[in-house]
Amino acid sequence: MATFLYKLGRLAFRRRHFVALIWVALLTLAGVGAASAPTPGNTSFSIPGTEAQKAFDLLEQRFPGMSADGATARVVFKAPSGEKMTDAGNEATVRKTVKELAGGSEVVSVADPYTGHTVSANGTIAYASVKYEVSGMELQDSTRDALEDAAQKARDAGLTVEVGGDALSATPETGSSEVIGIAIAAVVLVITFGSLLAAGLPLLTAIIGVGIGVASITALASALDLGSTTSTLATMIGLAVGIDYALFIVSRYRAELAEGREREEAAGRAVGTAGSAVVFAGLTVVIALVGLSVVNIPMLTKMGVAAAGTVAIAVLIALTMIPALLGYAGRKVKPAGEKSKLLGGGRTPRQPGRPNMGTRWASFVVRRPVAVLLLGVLGLGAAALPASSLELGLPDDGSQPTSTTQRRAYDLLSEGFGPGFNGPLMVVVDARGSDDPKAAFTEVGDEIKGLKDIVTVTPAAPNKAGDTATITVVPDSKPSSASTEDLVHAIRDKGADIAAKTGSTLLVTGSTAMNIDVSQKLNDALLPYLALVVGLAFLLLIVVFRSVLVPLKAALGFLLSVLAALGAVVAVFQWGWLSDLMNVEETGPVMSMMPIFMVGVVFGLAMDYEVFLVTRMREAYVHGEKPGQAVVTGFRHGARVVTAAAVIMIAVFSGFIGSSESMIKMIGFGLAIAVFFDAFVVRMAIVPAVLALLGKRAWWLPKWLDRALPNVDVEGEGLRAHADLDEEKELVRA
């Protein structure tokens, strides 16, 4: 592996014009493909295997044109103080608004508050329900604009009008967060390298890699049914690993220059050593992202595969385009320890007896491994304690900031009708197997009315064939509450009795039931996903490090950092600690996708740091250093780079904390704190402490396994032999 990558690095350095041309051509081709690709149609959204999805599919068959899983909007009206919604003027305004809403191109139906009896008991609040053909993510912008314009006209007429439901849901804008992350990354890279040009190379290649990845996704969106959210994860992860991988190779290149090697040779050795770490770090990220397919949520699978493709592009760019650009840069990229003229020029005075900070820290840990290990484990354990009370759910309008119209509509509905009106349940009764469908519908309604935590059960609404009916159930509790979840399970538990008595099938669906089913699906998939990702990565790391204990330590350290990060998320977003500082307006359940998303993303990034840092230790150990000294050597060469990479990632993810979307805010905070724990506590403290305690045992591998494993030579032993051979040839010629 190392020898092949060494030759690849030298080839890219020498044939830099050809390599640069290939990547520019690929970027151009992807850009042209994206620009000329047809506008993607409505992206299908389904959650196979859930009861809510089965009910939606049944409704599509039995109620053609109903669009059961289409978006909904609730336009909530409140009369001015001292007036009622039944006053003639207010009623005329509402009816005019309803008529305007009904004229929308994607609208299926609009329920008038006065004919649908959706005026509150005190007459001050009313709402109109709007049903659309497609889901909220698939609605056209013009449809959303028409909805908001109609609401504004009613406001201009003197009513308080707010709009809730998923019709206003849109892909969150993250452009400003990305710009902030790139700006902070630039500053960190300049400080790390002491050179504007060297700092610019990782940024340039990362942006090119993300550009190719996202443009390719856009070009293939229509053909592969990719949604607008597919590129979100690809952009975030592609930018992160693209900067990291290029940072690793440029840093090693400058270190090779500092040892007196020629530039082409330095480029080859940088790709042969750091490039090997990049390849295997990239493989762990790809495994983590592709592994998201085990959840069996198509949208999540597509996001994972697309992001994995972008990571693969980042690896290839780091291995080929970075050495090519180093060839163009020539002497403008200085050896390690020498600064650019733009930053003060000249060589930094060296103090032979003065080790760098990484060396000093590693030496301290090697001397006090037990104290450092206990402190690190106890600290992360304390941070993880809140995770024991983790409650999972999916966000609804009640978790939105109070400044949004969705949240205000949610509060008005709660005020006028009760919190359960924000998440009604739809019960679907399939009575094709029943001798008397009408009696079956009545029986189901009566059974449901006998349950707790219910405000209203509407009469059954059968289809034209009379063999299927829908019943709307309004809970007494808000959609995200445990009581509502219990009610959904209680209704479903009635299914067996209903089938025995009437021969009919009962299914519960609606947005609230779908959220509950998705949460359960994610919970059920977490352990298989964790086993798959950690298991495959464990096998991969055994090949990389030729050790059993080092990969085991890496996996256990990762689990500890993820648990600590989940504990921090629970403390802030569920318990409300530091909520004012984080601008968290509404505490509640943690987003169901958070644990599995955090496992996938953080595992990939954590293994980046693990592979890069520990391969330098492995390299030093293989080349003859004692175990404790190898740990110090690895930190001397790698600590600064890993620290810079972690700071960049924390900055990128922290930029999302400022989002007004609670889900984006939670993801940003969770990923940022997870990277902090993993990079600075696990990799910088626990890892060297464990390796110091294990000594030579850290690199133990059974002989039978050693013979069975392929020798990928990540530590570059083959390069040393290659260099020795070159020296012998030079001596012969002399």
Side-chain angles (χ1 to χ4, degrees):
M1 171 71 80
T3 303
F4 169 76
L5 293 177
Y6 165 78
K7 293 177 180 179
L8 178 64
R10 293 193 65 166
L11 179 65
F13 188 94
R14 287 197 308 272
R15 302 285 185 252
R16 46 188 171 273
H17 302 308
F18 181 67
V19 172
L21 182 62
I22 288 177
W23 284 112
V24 170
L26 288 174
L27 180 61
T28 303
L29 184 64
V32 171
S36 59
T39 303
N42 292 334
T43 306
S44 59
F45 178 81
S46 64
I47 310 295
T50 62
E51 180 172 320
Q53 186 63 51
K54 292 177 184 177
F56 280 141
D57 295 340
L58 180 65
L59 289 171
E60 287 294 326
Q61 297 173 12
R62 307 288 175 84
F63 292 81
M66 180 181 180
S67 299
D69 58 350
T72 58
R74 284 187 167 184
V75 183
V76 187
F77 306 89
K78 184 174 183 179
S81 179
E83 300 181 17
K84 292 188 176 182
M85 291 305 304
T86 51
D87 294 346
N90 294 335
E91 184 173 339
T93 299
V94 171
R95 291 189 182 278
K96 182 179 179 181
T97 303
V98 168
K99 184 177 180 181
E100 184 175 346
L101 290 170
S105 59
E106 295 181 297
V107 174
V108 174
S109 63
V110 181
D112 187 298
Y114 302 102
T115 57
H117 307 292
T118 55
V119 179
S120 64
N122 61 10
T124 60
I125 297 174
Y127 70 87
S129 297
V130 187
K131 186 71 176 176
Y132 294 92
E133 296 175 350
V134 295
S135 69
M137 293 187 297
E138 305 167 85
L139 282 177
Q140 298 177 8
D141 290 339
S142 58
T143 300
R144 293 193 181 93
D145 292 341
L147 174 61
E148 292 173 341
D149 289 344
Q152 186 57 49
K153 289 178 182 177
R155 291 189 191 103
D156 295 340
L159 296 177
T160 298
V161 186
E162 306 296 346
V163 183
D166 60 349
L168 292 183
S169 64
T171 305
E173 298 292 335
T174 58
S176 59
S177 299
E178 292 162 8
V179 171
I180 293 171
I182 292 174
I184 295 176
V187 173
V188 174
L189 288 170
V190 170
I191 294 172
T192 302
F193 289 136
S195 166
L196 293 176
L197 182 61
L201 294 181
L203 288 175
L204 176 62
T205 54
I207 291 171
I208 290 174
V210 170
I212 293 173
V214 173
S216 300
I217 292 169
T218 304
L220 298 172
S222 180
L224 300 181
D225 191 30
L226 304 178
S228 57
T229 58
T230 305
S231 62
T232 303
L233 185 60
T235 301
M236 182 188 299
I237 303 303
L239 188 63
V241 301
I243 294 174
D244 274 8
Y245 297 161
L247 170 64
F248 295 161
I249 291 177
V250 173
S251 175
R252 186 60 182 256
Y253 171 76
R254 296 177 72 237
E256 296 292 338
L257 289 179
E259 293 182 8
R261 291 188 172 86
E262 295 296 325
R263 293 186 177 273
E264 183 179 328
E265 177 69 12
R269 284 182 171 270
V271 176
T273 51
S276 297
V278 164
V279 169
F280 286 99
L283 280 174
T284 60
V285 181
V286 168
I287 288 171
L289 293 171
V290 174
L292 289 171
S293 58
V294 304
V295 183
N296 197 26
I297 295 179
M299 182 182 71
L300 198 58
T301 299
K302 292 173 184 177
M303 289 176 68
V305 172
T310 307
V311 170
I313 292 171
V315 171
L316 293 174
I317 283 183
L319 298 178
T320 57
M321 194 172 185
I322 283 292
L325 292 179
L326 290 172
Y328 282 119
R331 297 185 179 278
K332 293 178 181 178
V333 175
K334 306 297 181 182
E338 191 172 324
K339 295 182 179 179
S340 165
K341 290 182 179 180
L342 289 173
L343 296 178
R347 179 174 286 277
T348 303
R350 291 188 179 274
Q351 301 178 21
R354 176 74 172 173
N356 63 22
M357 185 176 294
T359 302
R360 296 197 301 273
W361 169 251
S363 299
F364 169 78
V365 175
V366 169
R367 289 195 307 269
R368 301 284 188 274
V370 175
V372 172
L373 179 60
L374 287 176
L375 188 62
V377 171
L378 290 176
L380 291 180
L385 284 177
S388 62
S389 62
L390 175 67
E391 295 178 9
L392 296 174
L394 288 178
D396 56 26
D397 286 347
S399 63
Q400 297 272 10
T402 53
S403 59
T404 62
T405 186
Q406 295 97 320
R407 172 60 186 276
R408 291 195 292 264
Y410 181 99
D411 291 340
L412 284 177
L413 281 174
S414 297
E415 176 188 340
F417 305 92
F421 271 77
N422 286 289
L425 307 175
M426 181 183 291
V427 178
V428 182
V429 185
D430 179 5
R432 277 194 174 179
S434 175
D435 296 332
D436 187 352
K438 289 185 178 180
F441 301 152
T442 303
E443 177 72 22
V444 171
D446 292 341
E447 287 284 345
I448 294 174
K449 287 177 183 177
L451 297 174
K452 298 178 181 179
D453 201 35
I454 288 178
V455 174
T456 304
V457 178
T458 64
N463 62 350
K464 290 183 179 179
D467 58 6
T468 308
T470 61
I471 299 173
T472 300
V473 178
V474 177
D476 187 41
S477 304
K478 63 182 182 178
S480 61
S481 69
S483 298
T484 299
E485 182 175 350
D486 292 341
L487 175 61
V488 170
H489 293 312
I491 296 174
R492 288 172 174 172
D493 289 343
K494 291 287 185 181
D497 292 340
I498 294 295
K501 291 180 180 178
T502 67
S504 58
T505 303
L506 179 152
L507 300 169
V508 183
T509 188
S511 59
T512 300
M514 178 62 84
N515 284 352
I516 292 170
D517 286 352
V518 171
S519 296
Q520 188 61 49
K521 193 176 184 69
L522 289 165
N523 293 346
D524 294 342
L526 182 58
L527 287 180
Y529 174 69
L530 194 60
L532 173 69
V533 171
V534 175
L536 289 177
F538 178 77
L539 296 176
L540 184 65
L541 292 179
I542 288 179
V543 175
V544 174
F545 296 128
R546 306 198 74 78
S547 164
V548 174
L549 297 179
V550 171
L552 180 62
K553 172 265 308 169
L556 293 176
F558 156 74
L559 292 175
L560 191 57
S561 62
V562 166
L563 285 173
L566 280 176
V569 170
V570 169
V572 173
F573 292 90
Q574 188 175 310
W575 291 0
W577 293 6
L578 302 178
S579 57
D580 292 338
L581 180 63
M582 296 291 175
N583 197 27
V584 178
E585 295 188 14
E586 188 75 19
T587 60
V590 172
M591 184 181 64
S592 299
M593 199 176 291
M594 194 68 195
I596 204 163
F597 186 79
M598 187 180 292
V599 167
V601 176
V602 177
F603 183 79
L605 296 178
M607 292 305 104
D608 282 359
Y609 307 143
E610 174 77 15
V611 169
F612 187 76
L613 193 61
V614 181
T615 48
R616 292 305 296 258
M617 300 177 191
R618 170 74 182 173
E619 181 180 341
Y621 177 75
V622 168
H623 290 164
E625 293 188 9
K626 293 182 178 180
Q629 184 57 40
V631 171
V632 176
T633 299
F635 266 76
R636 181 170 69 248
H637 293 296
R640 182 180 178 88
V641 179
V642 170
T643 299
V647 170
I648 289 169
M649 290 306 96
I650 291 170
V652 169
F653 294 139
S654 295
F656 293 90
I657 297 176
S659 173
S660 60
E661 290 284 338
S662 61
M663 181 175 70
I664 301 298
K665 185 191 295 288
M666 187 182 297
I667 289 174
F669 173 79
L671 294 181
I673 198 70
V675 170
F676 173 80
F677 286 149
D678 198 272
F680 293 109
V681 181
V682 175
R683 308 303 152 191
M684 291 293 183
I686 293 178
V687 165
V690 171
L691 291 178
L693 289 171
L694 290 175
K696 291 184 179 181
R697 294 187 298 274
W699 309 108
W700 170 79
L701 187 68
K703 290 183 179 180
W704 65 268
L705 186 56
D706 188 31
R707 290 191 298 269
L709 292 176
N711 184 10
V712 295
D713 189 24
V714 175
E715 63 274 0
E717 185 64 25
L719 295 184
R720 174 167 289 192
H722 184 79
D724 292 341
L725 182 61
D726 288 344
E727 288 179 6
E728 289 178 8
K729 289 180 180 178
E730 290 294 331
L731 290 173
V732 170
R733 290 173 187 168

